[in-house]
Amino acid sequence: MVQSEKRPTIFICEPDHGPTHPLVAYLTAKAYDVHCIPDSSQAVDEIVTRLPDLVLLDTHLPLAGGYEVCSMVRTNYSGPILFQGQESDEASQLLAFERGADDYITMPISPALLTARIRAHLKRSHGMASGRQIRVGDLVVDAGLRAVSLDGQPIDLTTMQFELLWYLAKRSGRVVPREELYEALYNEKYNGFDRSVDVYISRIRHQLGDDADNPYYLKTVRGVGYLFAGHDGNGH
């Protein structure tokens, strides 16, 4: 007997969503295993213990709130976290990325488009081929294990942070324009305003202990983009 493929697990952390909600029904029909979580305390416990494939997180989740939940789970959960919020202002979206989000989805959005975004993030999260590894001095970026280590110590990165670091590492020694990075991460044209790539770079630098004013690995080329450099300055 052939075993059926495991359905990706999605946690929807939103107080008004339940088994009969249209979005839940839609995602279930699209072969996702959907679980609804109504408040932040339950969300933190469930996410870090059950490790779903993807989390949809409401900005106004009761009790601690979605932003705080994201900060709390990021040390133990590296899967995609997609924020859902009514706020369309830049400050709210930047806060989500600073707390560790992989995407910010302004509501309302059609179930079909939201599902497409979910599918893209899951593909990105699970689609890296095994056996690919880049070493630069004491820094190791392993696409097969989806792991990063520095001086033998693991570095915790979100899915999008890892994708960005891997993309730059593969192009070590070349300046990669911000527009190219954005389009590689999101598979859509850069709108000229989104600053999520800059936020990701800042957080990766922090995780690597890279000095923001004089970075060792991820260098800023003003007006152009970013350069992944190594101990000898060219990434090799």
Side-chain angles (χ1 to χ4, degrees), residues 28 31 62 93 98 120 129 132 168 224 236:
T28 301
Q93 298 183 41
E98 288 168 358
R132 292 186 288 173
L168 286 167
V224 183
H236 298 290

Side-chain angles (χ1 to χ4, degrees), residues 135-146:
R135 292 175 177 267
V136 178
D138 295 323
L139 177 66
V140 179
V141 185
D142 191 312
L145 298 175
R146 296 193 64 81

Side-chain angles (χ1 to χ4, degrees), residues 145-161:
L145 298 175
R146 296 193 64 81
V148 178
S149 64
L150 182 63
D151 294 326
Q153 299 300 313
I155 303 296
D156 293 324
L157 297 180
T158 68
T159 298
M160 293 291 271
Q161 290 166 9

Side-chain angles (χ1 to χ4, degrees), residues 54 82 102-103 117-125 160:
L54 182 142
L82 282 58
D102 293 291
D103 202 353
R117 299 282 282 270
I118 289 172
R119 187 181 301 115
H121 279 281
L122 288 173
K123 182 179 180 180
R124 186 177 295 115
S125 176
M160 293 291 271

Side-chain angles (χ1 to χ4, degrees), residues 133-228:
Q133 186 181 91
I134 292 175
R135 292 175 177 267
V136 178
D138 295 323
L139 177 66
V140 179
V141 185
D142 191 312
L145 298 175
R146 296 193 64 81
V148 178
S149 64
L150 182 63
D151 294 326
Q153 299 300 313
I155 303 296
D156 293 324
L157 297 180
T158 68
T159 298
M160 293 291 271
Q161 290 166 9
F162 180 88
E163 291 291 340
L164 180 56
L165 179 60
W166 175 253
Y167 191 90
L168 286 167
K170 287 194 300 181
R171 292 154 182 82
S172 178
R174 174 168 79 83
V175 178
V176 182
R178 181 181 288 101
E179 294 81 0
E180 179 182 336
L181 291 171
Y182 181 91
E183 291 168 13
L185 289 177
Y186 295 105
N187 196 31
E188 60 185 49
K189 288 292 183 181
Y190 182 55
N191 58 20
F193 301 101
D194 193 298
R195 293 186 55 208
S196 57
V197 168
D198 304 303
V199 175
Y200 291 142
I201 291 289
S202 176
R203 292 184 67 87
I204 295 170
R205 282 174 175 160
H206 177 74
Q207 293 292 84
L208 297 179
D210 228 359
D211 184 351
D213 296 324
N214 186 28
Y216 198 51
Y217 293 106
L218 300 179
K219 299 182 181 296
T220 300
V221 180
R222 295 193 180 280
V224 183
Y226 294 99
L227 168 71
F228 181 90

Side-chain angles (χ1 to χ4, degrees), residues 83-102:
F83 266 83
Q84 300 180 100
Q86 300 288 337
E87 301 85 1
S88 59
D89 60 287
E90 182 178 283
S92 297
Q93 298 183 41
L94 284 175
L95 179 59
F97 288 117
E98 288 168 358
R99 294 299 177 91
D102 293 291

Side-chain angles (χ1 to χ4, degrees), residues 14 16 39 71 127 147 200 205-206 212:
E14 215 277 0
D16 299 326
D39 63 65
S71 296
Y200 291 142
R205 282 174 175 160
H206 177 74

